[in-house]
Amino acid sequence: MSELRYLVGERIRAIRKAKGLTQLQLAELSSLDDAYIGAVERGERNFTIDTLEKIHTALQVDTADLFRNDAVKNKDELVRRQATDEFIALISDLKSEQIEIVKRINKELVQAFSHPL
């Protein structure tokens, strides 16, 4: 199995889950079969660039996000990556002004955690 194919499949799964989509929903959005989506996520299918473009378009993410290959070193890092994917999914439909507000709120929350109770 191709390492790159496996890693891209893992990223597709992570992004799909962060967006709260099932394999069936992603399949419908990308005009692909849900069993095919599962095989892609497991790195079992040697997909074409056209197929990857359908998935990329359905997920509404930057192409680079599908190829991000940061090795997860520990549980905290894994949780951080999952939170980042979820955060990106949550703000994807917001306007820039709304995103700025969310960023300020997040900064306030992080600062609150840095002060002991």
Side-chain angles (χ1 to χ4, degrees), residues 67-115:
F67 292 93
R68 194 174 82 197
N69 184 18
D70 306 330
V72 176
K73 296 177 180 105
N74 57 47
K75 184 179 178 183
D76 286 341
E77 197 170 322
L78 175 62
V79 170
R80 193 172 293 111
R81 180 186 290 181
Q82 290 170 336
T84 302
D85 288 341
E86 289 176 19
F87 183 76
I88 290 169
L90 288 171
I91 66 169
S92 63
D93 293 331
L94 297 180
K95 295 179 179 155
S96 59
E97 298 85 16
Q98 295 169 317
I99 293 171
E100 289 301 320
I101 293 168
V102 171
K103 284 172 43 180
R104 284 197 305 270
I105 292 169
N106 279 335
K107 285 180 185 178
E108 293 282 335
L109 286 171
V110 170
Q111 289 174 355
F113 287 124
S114 65
H115 301 296

Side-chain angles (χ1 to χ4, degrees), residues 1-15:
M1 171 187 324
S2 163
E3 180 73 14
L4 180 58
R5 187 173 62 223
Y6 177 76
L7 293 171
V8 170
E10 281 186 333
R11 287 296 302 145
I12 290 169
R13 176 183 288 124
I15 294 167

